[in-house]
Amino acid sequence: MEDIKSAEDMNGGLPPVEKANDYIEYEAEMDTSDEEDIRNTVGNIPMNWYDEYPHVGYDWDGNKIIKPERGDQLDNFMEKMENPDFWRTVRDLQTGQDVVLSDKDVELIQRIESSKIPDSTYEQYAPWIEWFTSEVMNMPIRNGADHKRSFIASRQEAQRVERYARLIRAGLLKTREQKRREREKKRERSFYMMWSTDDAEDKNMRRITDHIPAPKRNLPSHAESYNPPPEFLFNEREMRIWKKQEETPWKRKLHYVPQKYSSLRQVPAYPKFIKERFTRCMDLYLCPRARKMRLTIEPEDLLPKLPSPKDLQPFPTVQSMVFNGHTDMVRCISIDPLGQYLLSGSDDMTIKIWEISTGRCLRTIPVGGIVRSIEWNPNKALSLVAVVADRKLLIINPGVGDHLIVSKTDSILSTPPVQASIVSDKVKAVVQWDDATSEEWENGIRLVLNHFKEIKQVTWHGRGDYAATVMPDGANRSVLIHQMSTRRSQLPFAKSKGLVQSVLFHPIRPFLFVATQKNIRIYDLVKQELFKKLMSYAKWISSMAIHPGGDNLIVGTYDRKMLWFDLDLSTKPYKTLRLHSTAVRSVAFHKRYPLFASGSDDRALIVSHGMVYNDLLQNPLVVPLKLLKEHEDCSDFGIFGVTFHPTEPWVFSCGADKTIRLFT
């Protein structure tokens, strides 16, 4: 009995067993963590992703968590009428179970809804504990009385003033007025001796501190000797040539005729001695001498100092994904404005729509011709792509993305324009607008524009209503501009300016860039006149891309060069980059990051840094960063298309090896 009683005293008056049970329950409450209580391990994702599945996630062992059975509205109504705790029952989205809230939970929710402090035990108006006093106390800086000498004039200061006055009287220390007078006196014109004299030395004479001595005359050669060797004497032919050069004496090898005497006593006086002395004096007097500083320049100093690539991150460095699916070479790629889907066109007469995040092919649309150019509409409110298939321009609704935007695009294209404008016979002979057939409509094709020649390229205007096509064989009708809202086409040029290779709209201003074989012309669409002509000095232009700011243009050529044009600087290239060993087929700028890339037939994708500064006096910085060579060789062809992701520092490339590759 005494042992039991002592144990009760040690446990605070409780029996040992009950105290132990309470301790075990307390330890269990303390050991539980949030991670152990959560049965679903899918993480922080939207649970509506599991609406179409019979389970809502997975537990710690990897088993599926099956959704509990749910009744219809009648069952819910009966449950509401019979269950008294229905009003406090909530559904756990992660496990699908019904959880009954406790009284503390209900009280906590009610206090939050009434804008009160959630914790009811928190005392909001507790008495203030004043740790530091709020009274301002006037205290001195140092607790001590001032010394008597602080009220008497300083003896050292008086001695210093007396010393300064003595120096001023002696002339050793000058006042500000005396210094000002001396400066004015020095500004007056003074005369001095230019040349020194031998008899007297003037102290005020100006001395040349850095004297440059006169150049010494060359030492006499063997031909100037009074008894030169026979080989230095002139023969008849040399003497005849020397006499013929009297009118051009500077062409003579020697300005005298070598002569031979048996002894020095027989040498006569030199007849041109005074003339030569006078000429030398004139040379020393009239020809100024300057000291040339020899510069020791290292070869490394001649090269421009470029920043390290590590300081220019981020940029693509490794291959992350390969999109396989086409059965022939992929010629062109394009990305939607949101960066979620990728569009590709191939020689297998199909286009494919890929999901970038997973690499999955969503749709394959046959177009009935070799796809040479594709372009996604830059307007985010429309779901449209332009596809070039031989002589046809297809306006396609890909049917991916937001369903509201897809349906809105179909409704806009299904209704023809209210007022059809009068189309000239010239335009009718070049292009014809046709509606899609029922079979084409199922494949997503909405409009078909039949051209009279084969189309090479298509590009959209920034607002998404206008599209321009290029037909190199069309002569003066090689460039066409189409308006989607009115279904009308127009011919902007009346005369042929050359074999057009590519066209491009300015991202901000109403300009149209037209690239022929050797030059780039910039036209003002509002004034309808030529704004500027850029000289490329290249043999054949292949592609071009404009900076998002609109002031810089990069051009790729078939003669292995990339040309950077600063439109505000000059009509000639600012930089000429020779980074590839074969033809450059595609160039592209990034819309957000200072990056640009180029693809070539040597299977090399080169990513470069191109920083354009807001300061107009500072030139753009161009630095090559990374060489990516992952494409396979296929019949002397390499990379056909290059494009950047609109928001991420990623680059896509397509080539003749039937693949599309993503580099991140």
Side-chain angles (χ1 to χ4, degrees):
M1 292 294 292
E2 294 178 357
D3 297 337
I4 294 174
K5 189 174 183 180
S6 62
E8 292 179 359
D9 295 338
M10 293 175 63
N11 294 331
L14 295 176
V17 178
E18 296 179 0
K19 191 69 177 179
N21 293 335
D22 294 342
Y23 179 75
I24 292 171
E25 292 177 0
Y26 175 76
E27 284 292 321
E29 292 178 0
M30 294 300 293
D31 290 340
T32 57
S33 61
D34 296 336
E35 295 180 357
E36 293 175 355
D37 293 338
I38 298 176
R39 295 173 55 236
N40 201 345
T41 61
V42 294
N44 188 14
I45 64 171
M47 297 305 297
N48 55 4
W49 290 1
Y50 288 92
D51 290 345
E52 299 178 358
Y53 298 94
H55 63 285
V56 293
Y58 304 89
D59 56 9
W60 287 104
D61 297 331
N63 300 322
K64 294 182 180 179
I65 301 176
I66 306 300
K67 295 180 181 177
E69 296 183 358
R70 295 286 176 181
D72 54 4
Q73 295 184 0
L74 182 60
D75 295 337
N76 293 337
F77 178 74
M78 296 299 297
E79 178 71 17
K80 181 178 180 180
M81 301 302 295
E82 295 176 358
N83 188 5
D85 294 333
F86 183 81
W87 65 276
R88 63 168 65 190
T89 303
V90 296
R91 182 184 176 188
D92 190 357
L93 295 179
Q94 286 198 336
T95 60
Q97 303 292 334
D98 292 336
V99 180
V100 180
L101 300 179
S102 62
D103 294 338
K104 290 185 179 180
D105 298 336
V106 174
E107 182 184 0
L108 179 65
I109 294 173
Q110 290 176 352
R111 291 183 67 86
I112 292 174
E113 288 182 347
S114 58
S115 301
K116 294 181 181 180
I117 298 175
D119 190 4
S120 60
T121 61
Y122 178 75
E123 189 175 357
Q124 185 177 2
Y125 303 101
W128 175 259
I129 299 175
E130 191 167 345
W131 299 99
F132 301 97
T133 178
S134 59
E135 299 178 1
V136 180
M137 304 177 69
N138 296 326
M139 300 292 291
I141 297 177
R142 58 181 183 272
N143 191 11
D146 293 336
H147 202 272
K148 183 179 179 180
R149 62 173 172 267
S150 62
F151 300 96
I152 304 175
S154 175
R155 185 182 301 172
Q156 287 82 4
E157 187 176 353
Q159 291 177 356
R160 193 180 301 114
V161 172
E162 183 180 357
R163 175 171 168 269
Y164 288 160
R166 187 169 61 253
L167 292 175
I168 290 173
R169 287 194 296 270
L172 301 177
L173 187 64
K174 297 178 182 179
T175 60
R176 293 181 180 177
E177 183 65 22
Q178 291 175 346
K179 292 180 180 179
R180 185 183 63 81
R181 292 176 181 175
E182 288 184 357
R183 285 196 300 269
E184 292 180 354
K185 190 175 181 180
K186 288 181 179 180
R187 290 173 186 169
E188 296 178 358
R189 187 175 181 182
S190 58
F191 300 93
Y192 52 87
M193 292 289 293
M194 182 178 291
W195 305 107
S196 62
T197 56
D198 297 335
D199 52 354
E201 292 184 0
D202 190 359
K203 294 181 180 180
N204 297 327
M205 183 180 62
R206 181 180 179 183
R207 294 290 183 181
I208 301 175
T209 57
D210 193 6
H211 176 66
I212 302 176
K216 295 181 179 180
R217 298 198 63 176
N218 297 327
L219 295 175
S221 61
H222 294 289
E224 295 183 63
S225 173
Y226 72 95
N227 189 11
E231 59 267 17
F232 288 96
L233 298 176
F234 286 172
N235 52 24
E236 294 181 0
R237 178 177 173 275
E238 293 175 345
M239 192 66 186
R240 189 168 56 253
I241 294 174
W242 191 85
K243 289 181 179 180
K244 286 182 180 180
Q245 295 176 344
E246 290 182 355
E247 297 180 358
T248 57
W250 59 87
K251 293 184 179 180
R252 292 174 174 175
K253 295 183 179 180
L254 298 175
H255 63 279
Y256 58 90
V257 179
Q259 296 181 4
K260 186 177 181 66
Y261 300 96
S262 59
S263 63
L264 185 59
R265 194 180 305 167
Q266 297 178 1
V267 178
Y270 185 49
K272 297 181 181 179
F273 175 77
I274 298 177
K275 184 178 180 180
E276 284 189 358
R277 287 294 173 182
F278 176 74
T279 304
R280 176 165 172 78
C281 291
M282 291 296 292
D283 291 340
L284 296 177
Y285 170 65
L286 296 177
C287 299
R289 300 189 299 275
R291 187 180 298 276
K292 292 184 179 180
M293 302 297 295
R294 293 187 60 184
L295 301 177
T296 56
I297 301 176
E298 298 294 334
E300 293 80 8
D301 298 338
L302 299 176
L303 298 176
K305 294 183 179 180
L306 300 177
S308 174
K310 295 182 180 180
D311 301 333
L312 304 178
Q313 291 178 343
F315 57 87
T317 55
V318 295
Q319 177 179 306
S320 295
M321 192 179 298
V322 180
F323 300 84
N324 290 311
H326 284 288
T327 58
D328 206 339
M329 59 177 62
V330 184
R331 289 186 178 270
C332 46
I333 51 176
S334 180
I335 302 178
D336 71 316
L338 298 178
Q340 188 176 0
Y341 302 103
L342 173 69
L343 180 68
S344 63
S346 171
D347 282 5
D348 58 3
M349 300 185 183
T350 61
I351 64 171
K352 290 182 181 291
I353 301 171
W354 312 80
E355 189 177 17
I356 295 177
S357 59
T358 60
R360 185 164 56 99
C361 181
L362 301 179
R363 291 192 65 184
T364 300
I365 302 174
V367 294
I370 295 176
V371 181
R372 301 189 183 277
S373 177
I374 55 176
E375 193 72 25
W376 208 296
N377 195 305
N379 191 353
K380 297 179 182 179
L382 296 175
S383 177
L384 282 181
V385 295
V387 178
V388 170
D390 292 339
R391 296 189 178 187
K392 293 182 180 181
L393 174 63
L394 306 178
I395 306 300
I396 300 176
N397 186 352
V400 294
D402 194 350
H403 296 290
L404 295 177
I405 296 177
V406 173
S407 60
K408 176 186 174 183
T409 305
D410 284 341
S411 62
I412 292 174
L413 294 179
S414 60
T415 57
V418 179
Q419 295 180 355
S421 58
I422 300 174
V423 181
S424 63
D425 296 335
K426 290 184 178 179
V427 177
K428 286 183 179 179
V430 176
V431 61
Q432 294 179 359
W433 290 70
D434 296 332
D435 293 329
T437 61
S438 59
E439 183 180 356
E440 291 175 343
W441 187 275
E442 292 179 358
N443 291 331
I445 301 174
R446 300 295 179 258
L447 295 174
V448 179
L449 282 74
N450 294 307
H451 292 63
F452 80 110
K453 292 290 184 181
E454 187 175 304
I455 311 172
K456 180 182 179 181
Q457 185 220 358
V458 63
T459 182
W460 286 100
H461 188 264
R463 296 184 179 179
D465 191 21
Y466 290 91
T469 55
V470 176
M471 296 176 290
D473 299 333
N476 60 338
R477 298 175 293 178
S478 58
V479 180
L480 280 172
I481 298 178
H482 314 281
Q483 188 176 7
M484 300 298 142
S485 58
T486 60
R487 297 191 182 181
R488 185 171 60 92
S489 302
Q490 53 184 335
L491 293 168
F493 305 115
K495 296 182 180 179
S496 176
K497 301 297 182 181
L499 196 61
V500 180
Q501 301 297 316
S502 176
V503 295
L504 198 65
F505 285 102
H506 195 281
I508 302 171
R509 305 175 67 181
F511 288 162
L512 179 66
F513 294 80
V514 179
T516 57
Q517 279 189 347
K518 296 184 179 181
N519 302 318
I520 300 101
R521 289 177 171 83
I522 306 175
Y523 293 93
D524 193 333
L525 298 177
V526 176
K527 298 180 181 179
Q528 296 183 0
E529 62 182 11
L530 179 64
F531 175 71
K532 189 182 291 185
K533 182 179 179 182
L534 305 179
M535 311 299 294
S536 67
Y537 303 105
K539 295 181 180 179
W540 200 305
I541 294 175
S542 62
S543 58
M544 60 179 175
I546 191 167
H547 191 267
D551 294 334
N552 294 269
L553 182 76
I554 187 169
V555 177
T557 64
Y558 288 117
D559 49 349
R560 304 175 294 177
K561 292 187 294 185
M562 282 192 299
L563 309 175
W564 180 295
F565 287 94
D566 192 340
L567 302 182
D568 295 334
L569 185 64
S570 173
T571 58
K572 299 178 181 179
Y574 163 67
K575 290 281 186 182
T576 300
L577 305 176
R578 295 177 176 86
L579 305 177
H580 294 278
S581 59
T582 55
V584 179
R585 290 191 175 269
S586 180
V587 291
F589 268 112
H590 200 288
K591 292 183 178 180
R592 293 190 179 183
Y593 292 93
L595 298 173
F596 69 93
S598 61
S600 173
D601 280 341
D602 58 359
R603 301 179 291 112
L605 173 64
I606 296 180
V607 181
S608 304
H609 176 85
M611 172 61 75
V612 178
Y613 300 95
N614 294 328
D615 188 5
L616 297 178
L617 299 178
Q618 192 169 4
N619 294 329
L621 177 63
V622 180
V623 182
L625 294 177
K626 188 69 176 178
L627 172 63
L628 303 169
K629 202 168 185 178
E630 299 293 341
H631 282 271
E632 298 176 0
D633 193 6
C634 183
S635 65
D636 295 336
F637 290 110
I639 298 175
F640 284 115
V642 175
T643 185
F644 277 98
H645 194 277
T647 56
E648 300 293 338
W650 302 346
V651 65
F652 296 83
S653 65
C654 63
D657 56 352
K658 310 174 188 178
T659 62
I660 306 164
R661 299 176 187 267
L662 167 61
F663 300 92
T664 61

